[in-house]
Amino acid sequence: MGVFEDDRFAEGTKAIAEAMARCPGSTVVGGGDSAAALAQLGLEDKIDHVSTGGGATLECSSSRPAGLAALRSAPNA
């Protein structure tokens, strides 16, 4: 998902967001622009966790097991 306000990337962003919204597994989206894209598409309620902190989300979910444990134990997980 990326520069969705640019027509060259809008369809790709929409396709990825829609695929994530249909995903039967847990979904996490991080980043202000990605969160804005989900909101614009009306899909934010179909994603398990949406954060405006993209870098923090990546760091927490990829290199710190405690971050994943917190997401997995969240009430909506």
Side-chain angles (χ1 to χ4, degrees):
M1 292 174 38
V3 191
F4 67 96
E5 62 275 3
D6 183 324
D7 289 339
R8 296 174 298 166
F9 303 104
E11 286 303 312
T13 297
K14 181 180 177 186
I16 291 170
E18 289 174 343
M20 290 187 71
R22 291 188 308 269
C23 180
S26 295
T27 51
V28 176
V29 171
D33 289 336
S34 296
L38 289 172
Q40 182 176 322
L41 294 166
L43 297 172
E44 68 269 66
D45 63 332
K46 300 201 182 296
I47 303 298
D48 296 311
H49 180 78
V50 179
S51 171
T52 57
T57 301
L58 285 173
E59 182 177 340
C60 186
S61 64
S62 65
S63 64
R64 300 196 180 185
L68 287 175
L71 288 173
R72 288 184 178 130
S73 66
N76 63 347

